[in-house]
Each structure stands twice: as structure tokens, then as C-alpha cells.
Amino acid sequence: MAEVTQLIHEYLRHDKKFPHVLCPGCGHGILLGSLIRSVHALGIPKDDVALVAGIGCSGRVAVYVDFNTVHAVHGRALTVATGIKMAKPDMHVIVVQGDGDALSIGGNHFIHAARRNIGLTVLVLNNFIYGMTGGQCSSATPLGCWSTTTPYGQMEKSFDFVEMTRAAGANFVSRGTVFHVKTLDKLVRQALVHPGFSLVEVLTPCHTQFGRKNKFKSPVDMYQWLKKAAMPLEAYEKLDPDKRAGRIPIGVFVDNHEPALETRYAAMRAKLAKG
Amino acid sequence: MTNPKKGQTRITIYPDWCKACGLCVAFCPAKVLEIDVAAGCARAVREQECVNCGFCELHCPDFAIVVTPRGKTRNGGTQPPQENGN
Ligand SMILES: Cc1ncc(C[n+]2csc(CCOP(=O)(O)OP(=O)(O)O)c2C)c(N)n1
Ligand code: SF4
Ligand code: SF4
Ligand code: SF4
Ligand SMILES: [Mg+2]
């Protein structure tokens, strides 16, 4: 094992201020590393990547990496990415969003981008909270959890991003965690080359705004929890249903190969051009 | 029996980048690393025990730790290289 960090440093924008702005132990940085390794492993040139980020701590990851990057409006990363992909279908258009960005304020765009099956690689950094703005609940905050807007515990059920994206019609749906980083690298690589809408839900600790108010003593404690709670989907499916509580399946949930929107669009244009 | 992988590596930690989150310290299988509280960063206190598993490098959220084979020339400094400082 060598040159992992050196490789990452080759992709960073060293004119930005480092260390980056994220809190000690924030998992978002691990996903950035995973993304860089995955793009590099596939031999995709930096200039062929458009990285569109939403607003939030998760959105900050796009600031530090030397791809074509857009820091979009909160919740609207997918709309910008949709435009880029339709205009430049050969580009690898990657979207990084938080749980708040993707499925709270941006939920409508998310559902429809998945339904259209447009060829985007969508990395949702799910830390169960609005990290950047001070720990308000999001649509991913689990039942009973503390947040600044649920001081007596969350009483709304949370979204299951995987089931939601499956139901909306996306081609590729997966979940990983920043602790299981080799699996995560594999999922990101798969999502990058899979045609159509490709989701990786990335479970990631925010100790500052979520963990410390929900009985995790330290960032390390949250990684211990991910280590214990997550398990491969195949093993999860074999578990006795009453032993599933507290366990989180990770892996590939949907692996379809329907034509992506931009492919249908190109075919339509070719047909119309023939007259 | 000694692990043949042991002692083959050098660990560099960029002190300005490390935020002392403790992730590498907690999960290093060979207990190579500790937090230097006064300095506010991680330190390789038992470098010779490193089994080159790669956990620390793959998980450091701040790209602050480098594991290189012993004998290989590195940039050597306490700052990361700045290949694309444009
Ligand atoms: C239109 C709009 N509404 C609200 C905000 C304030 N705001 C900024 S980030 C954020 C939530 C971020 O949460 P999430 O997407 O989960 O990202 P995290 O910080 O947790 O990574 C909100 C509500 C904004 N910037 N723009
Ligand atoms: S507030 Fe949470 S999400 Fe934001 S940088 Fe800190 S740990 Fe990460
Ligand atoms: S994981 Fe990185 S930032 Fe955290 S203590 Fe180790 S070297 Fe420092
Ligand atoms: S490579 Fe593995 S054994 Fe060596 S310091 Fe890092 S975590 Fe410890
Ligand atoms: Mg969030």
C-alpha cells in the first residue's frame, strides 16, 4: 500500500486553503479520496469530469478537486448536472449532494432525475442531518434522533434513499459507507461507468452536528458503529428478519441496463434528422 | 514468527493537515500511531510495527498521512507536494 495519499494530492487544488474546512473526522473527506481514486483507476482524464455539488458541507468537496466543478444552488445540483449531461453526453457528470440537498430541499429534482434515468453518477453523502447550518433534521434523520429542530426526538419517518431511487426507476442503486472504503471505491467505480442514473448512497459520520447529540462520544465512535452495523446485502438478505434491526445492508441493490435519457435523445435526434 | 510485512514502511504525517481526529490511531491493527496532544496531530510512535495494511491512508479524511516503502525516496518534507499549484 503506497502512493494513495500522493495520488490524491495530485488531484487537489493546492491554491485552496488546506487543511480543508471540514471538521476533524468528518467522513466527507473520505468520499473525496474514494472519488479521486475511482476516477484515476478508470483512466478518466480530469477534463472529462464535471463535478456538480450541492450546498452543504458535502458540497464543499467539489471546491478542493481539480475537475470541472460547479457549486450549484442548494437542492439544485441535479438540474445543473442534467443540463451539462444533455449538452455534453460524453462527459462524466458526477453529482455530490448531502441528504438535505438531495432528498429534502431537492427531493423533487432527485425523483425526476432518477425517473428520467439520465446518465449521472450521484453520490449522496448521507450524514442524517443538515451539517452545515447547525444540525437541523433532514428527511434522513432517523426516528427518535435528536436534532436542533427535533429537540425531543424525530417523530417523522426517514426516507430510505435506496428504495426511493429504485422506485423512481434508476438503473443503478447502491449503498456504501466511508468506513468500508474498499467496497465504496468499487461502488463508485461501478456507478461511474454504469449507463443511466447511478446512485451511491454514502453513509458518513457528522459528529459535530449529529453524533455528539446522539450518544456518540467521538467521531471514532461513529466509525465503530458503521463498522458493526453495515453488512453485505447478500448476507443481510439471509438474516432472520427479526435479527435485522440495527443492521444496514450495503452493496448493489439495482443493476438495470435500460437506455439512458441522453441515449434516447441521441436516437430521437438521429431519427428526426433523417426526416 | 515475525510478520514479513513488518518494518518495510515509513510513515509521514503532515502536521499542518492532520486534525488529530484519531481515526488512524483507533483502527491501526499494529498500534503504530498515537495522538500527540501537545502538537495536535498524529505521530507514528512504533513505525517498525507497521504491516502496510493501508487503513490509515485510505481513511484519513484530511489526506494527511502517507505510508511509503522504506528506502524509496520521498519528498521528505512535512508538507505535501504541490504538483498542480496553479
Ligand atoms: C435555498 C437555500 N435554502 C437554505 C439554505 C441553507 N442551507 C445551506 S446548507 C443546508 C443543509 C445542508 O445539509 P445537507 O445537504 O445534508 O449537507 P451537509 O452539510 O450535511 O453535508 C441548508 C439548509 C441555502 N443555502 N439555500
Ligand atoms: S458539520 Fe458535520 S458534515 Fe459539516 S464538516 Fe462538520 S462533521 Fe462534516
Ligand atoms: S486520520 Fe488523518 S487527520 Fe485523523 S489523526 Fe490520522 S492522520 Fe490525522
Ligand atoms: S498502514 Fe496499517 S499498520 Fe501501517 S500505520 Fe497505517 S494503519 Fe497502521
Ligand atoms: Mg447532511
Side-chain angles (χ1 to χ4, degrees), chain A residues 110-193:
Chain A
F110 189 95
I111 294 166
H112 291 289
R115 172 183 65 80
R116 291 177 180 133
N117 198 28
I118 182 164
L120 305 173
T121 303
V122 183
L123 310 173
V124 174
L125 282 165
N126 183 4
N127 55 11
F128 318 105
I129 200 85
Y130 286 5
M132 178 170 268
T133 44
Q136 297 84 357
C137 72
S138 78
S139 56
T141 305
L143 211 55
C145 283
W146 189 96
S147 73
T148 52
T149 44
T150 57
Y152 306 110
Q154 172 64 292
M155 48 184 186
E156 301 171 9
K157 275 177 71 176
S158 58
F159 266 138
D160 181 328
F161 287 2
V162 161
E163 291 311 324
M164 161 78 124
T165 316
R166 185 209 299 269
N171 253 0
F172 181 85
V173 181
S174 69
R175 180 190 291 127
T177 90
V178 293
F179 182 84
H180 304 83
V181 76
K182 288 185 181 162
T183 306
L184 183 63
D185 283 18
K186 208 171 143 208
L187 295 174
V188 174
R189 287 200 305 271
Q190 281 178 273
L192 278 168
V193 296

Side-chain angles (χ1 to χ4, degrees), chain A residues 1-6 8-15 18-26 29-30 32-33 37 46 66 178-182 185 219-220 223-224 227, chain B residues 9 14 16-24 26-27 52-69 72 74-75 80-86:
Chain A
M1 190 57 63
E3 277 140 37
V4 172
T5 305
Q6 279 101 321
I8 291 170
H9 281 276
E10 280 171 33
Y11 282 77
L12 297 181
R13 289 175 172 149
H14 287 274
D15 55 333
F18 283 97
H20 56 56
V21 71
L22 307 173
C23 303
C26 174
I30 303 178
L32 176 57
R37 283 191 297 279
K46 286 179 192 173
D66 189 23
V178 293
F179 182 84
H180 304 83
V181 76
K182 288 185 181 162
D185 283 18
V220 166
Y223 288 88
Q224 298 280 17
K227 181 182 178 185
Chain B
T9 47
Y14 304 130
D16 291 353
W17 288 47
C18 170
K19 293 175 185 159
C21 71
L23 196 50
C24 57
F27 291 100
N52 199 15
C53 72
F55 182 96
C56 56
E57 252 193 307
L58 286 169
H59 289 81
C60 175
D62 281 277
F63 321 123
I65 184 163
V66 186
V67 183
T68 38
K72 200 174 161 196
R74 289 174 301 122
N75 68 318
Q82 308 221 334
E83 268 96 335
N84 62 347
N86 46 8

